[in-house]
Amino acid sequence: MPDQPVSMAVVAEPARPLLAAPSALIRALGPLGTPEEQEQPMSNGQFDADVIVVGAGPGGYVAAIRAAQLGAQVVCVEKEYLGGTCLNWGCIPSKAMIAPVERLQHVRHADAMGIQIPGEPQFDFAKMMARKDKIVQTLRGGIGSLFKKNKIRHVEGFARFVDPHTIEVEKDGQKTRLRGKSFILAMGSSVIRLNIPGLEGGRDEGVWTSDDAVTAPFVPESMLVLGGGAVGCEFSYVFNGLGSKVTLVEMMPNLLPLMDTDLGTELGRVLGKQGIKVKTGATLERVEKTAKGWKCFVKKGADTEEVEVQVVLLGVGRKANTDGMDLEKTGVRLHRRGVEVVDDTLRTHAPHIYAIGDVTGRIQLAHVASAEGILAATNAVTGSDRKMEYKCVPNCVYTVPEVASVGLTQAEAEAQGYDVAVGKFQFRALGKAMATGDIDGFVKVVAEKKYGEVLGVHMIGAHVTDMIHEGVVALKLEATLESMAETIHAHPTLSEAMLEAFEDALGHAIHK
């Protein structure tokens, strides 16, 4: 699972996006109601497990551990690597690539702080990637250790349903049948290829997906990144920092189109300063193969620009992993995004089967999958009907500067009829930001004006993916502007921007 939503496809006739902002997506799906469930007969035979979890990504392995902690006998089936997309091809390896690029940039600009480093700083790409691989392998082994600690049986292979309570797991031609009282579907999602005229071939032909980017064998001389969401922006930052000439194409008017407009506008400005050619409101009409790579025809309005690059990176589009599982034998229903759940208890139309994470096509974020896994496991083992709450989902992008958001954007709040109060504060006014050189960005607070309830917090700047949780807690506790403004924030810190933004929404920021 990717750690962030990707943006809408940036092609002339784009496929509909698989991801959306949490609040917007839940509303778009509409009230799920209580569709008629298909009752499945319980077998009188013996079961191999109380709970069988299919998939060991950030949703599946967490669900398996929580079910075991609650006293259940648990089996977790995984077709490839423990940790799923997030650990092996998404969240973790991409951050392990971003970190050394950020460090390299610090060294390159150390002179601004009086640090003299003779010569031009160099990097060893092979060593960077080896470090990334070691981090992934260490964390993957950690999950295996947690499974042993919690007495979870790990079965490798691809699972297909034989009947509502039986799966057949196949690996290297060997098949194993397992019977479970309950199941948690956590198969995740996979990257998909967009149909762009002329674009054929795979990694060897210079057509990369995000999976290829985190296992890149070299740094391309030039690259066109398709998609200005989290995935596209993060890889644009990485390869630009390593010396690639990067063109970033996004169909919508701003980068990060699923977040507050001010965030995407500011990120586009900063990435442009770093040397990335940001083209928003643009589409990739077609491409032609060249001796060195690809000639890309980028259309914006009535104008078409030709951009020649070595690599085209597709940073948009994912599909739920449901193919070949014979889910129709269980009573589980599918919709165009993946597995359909009856309601926020995460039950499917087969009452003993739950679905979580990317495979539901709802909110495709690793931390949402983990929270859903804990809830589904609790419901499956205890028989409870707890429901997920999606009001307070943090959304993070790990470019430099970072971007983070929770709750309603200003546009969403206004569209829902709120009389909105907005507070905003720039980091550049803070002593800590000046001291560390992290002056880009701001904090923006959206609140309901009459009572001051905090509706959303949006920020771009250094360390904001760590800072956003103050906003998450504010929304969770239905805090008001007044209560947050009365909360003492340490000085000097970047978090003071939060305090000033709350005060600004009240009309009395001290330092603005």
Side-chain angles (χ1 to χ4, degrees), residues 279-447:
K279 298 184 180 298
T280 55
T283 58
L284 180 58
E285 281 197 311
R286 60 188 177 90
V287 300
E288 294 177 359
K289 193 76 178 76
T290 67
K292 294 185 177 180
W294 299 94
K295 179 185 290 186
C296 303
F297 295 84
V298 179
K299 184 174 182 180
K300 182 170 183 175
D303 300 325
T304 299
E305 179 182 355
E306 295 181 11
V307 181
E308 294 200 32
V309 296
Q310 185 179 6
V311 167
V312 175
L313 195 161
L314 303 176
V316 60
R318 297 192 69 83
K319 179 183 182 297
N321 292 329
T322 58
D323 293 347
M325 291 190 62
D326 297 336
L327 288 168
E328 67 276 4
K329 296 180 179 180
T330 67
V332 168
R333 299 180 190 174
L334 301 179
H335 54 65
R336 61 184 177 84
R337 290 190 180 97
V339 175
E340 185 174 295
V341 293
V342 173
D343 56 24
D344 288 341
T345 64
L346 304 176
R347 284 187 175 87
T348 68
H349 289 85
H352 68 294
I353 300 178
Y354 297 77
I356 64 172
D358 281 17
V359 80
T360 69
R362 300 177 88 190
I363 302 175
Q364 295 182 325
L365 294 171
H367 42 281
V368 172
S370 295
E372 289 177 336
I374 290 171
L375 182 136
T378 301
N379 286 345
V381 175
T382 67
S384 59
D385 290 308
R386 290 178 53 194
K387 291 186 177 183
M388 276 293 299
E389 169 59 66
Y390 296 101
K391 174 184 174 183
C392 309
V393 175
N395 189 3
C396 299
V397 182
Y398 297 86
T399 47
V400 178
E402 295 180 340
V403 187
S405 180
V406 64
L408 299 180
T409 67
Q410 181 178 348
E412 288 174 335
E414 290 171 348
Q416 291 185 27
Y418 285 102
D419 186 10
V420 171
V422 175
K424 198 170 183 180
F425 195 81
Q426 302 285 337
F427 282 111
R428 66 180 61 252
L430 297 177
K432 177 66 177 292
M434 293 181 191
T436 60
D438 298 312
I439 61 173
D440 285 322
F442 58 81
V443 173
K444 178 178 179 179
V445 172
V446 178

Side-chain angles (χ1 to χ4, degrees), residues 222-245:
S222 56
M223 172 185 289
L224 184 141
V225 178
L226 192 60
V231 172
C233 288
E234 289 180 6
F235 283 119
S236 293
Y237 170 78
V238 167
F239 287 102
N240 174 73
L242 294 176
S244 298
K245 296 179 181 178

Side-chain angles (χ1 to χ4, degrees), residues 155-176:
V155 178
E156 296 182 356
F158 184 83
R160 294 180 179 85
F161 277 89
V162 177
D163 61 47
H165 287 276
T166 308
I167 57 172
E168 187 173 75
V169 182
E170 182 174 359
K171 181 176 175 61
D172 299 330
Q174 300 295 315
K175 297 180 180 180
T176 303

